[in-house]
Amino acid sequence: MAKKLVIKVTAGADAPERCSQAFTVAAVAVASGVDVSLWLTGESSWFAVPGRAAEFELPHAAPLPDLLDSLLAGGRVTLCTQCAARRDLTEKDVIDGVRIAGAQVFVQEALADDTQALVY
């Protein structure tokens, strides 16, 4: 099993099942002791903004705020630089603990030794 997991989630409220799957897999991996880096891109970028995860609803799914909290506590959450810029989001707009970084950092993380990358 890979010791590190990088997950890029591209979906938000526009594709709620795919979005929830990404957050769920990431949170379960954190709970299992895996080093997890979750990347928010595309429509999932909005979940870097305080209160936005609470607006997400999907029947029979774990609440997104709970999953996000566990990821912030035990893993890393990154908002894509270009995605942030397209939404006029800056460091002052995002939840404490969410970093903003670009493709170079994503590639470095995804290609690191003992790392598995998933895209949802």
Side-chain angles (χ1 to χ4, degrees):
M1 180 164 92
K3 295 181 182 176
K4 299 174 191 166
L5 182 61
V6 177
I7 297 177
K8 179 185 272 193
V9 55
T10 62
D14 60 326
E17 286 184 298
R18 190 162 30 113
C19 176
S20 180
Q21 289 168 359
F23 276 86
T24 300
V25 167
V28 168
V30 165
S32 300
V34 176
D35 180 3
V36 175
S37 177
L38 179 76
W39 283 72
L40 303 174
T41 67
E43 284 304 301
S44 72
S45 299
W46 291 113
F47 299 128
V49 176
R52 294 298 287 264
E55 297 172 7
F56 181 87
E57 293 184 13
L58 182 63
H60 311 292
L64 203 62
D66 295 349
L67 298 173
L68 182 55
D69 287 346
S70 72
L71 290 163
L72 288 166
R76 284 176 311 289
V77 179
T78 305
L79 171 59
C80 162
T81 301
Q82 290 182 14
C83 299
R86 281 190 281 276
R87 290 159 181 82
D88 294 320
L89 299 174
T90 65
E91 294 282 344
K92 66 178 176 52
D93 299 310
V94 301
I95 298 167
D96 286 341
V98 173
R99 70 176 175 168
I100 297 176
Q104 179 183 6
V105 176
F106 176 79
V107 170
Q108 287 175 335
E109 287 187 9
L111 295 179
D113 291 339
D114 296 322
T115 300
Q116 173 70 51
L118 303 173
V119 178
Y120 286 86

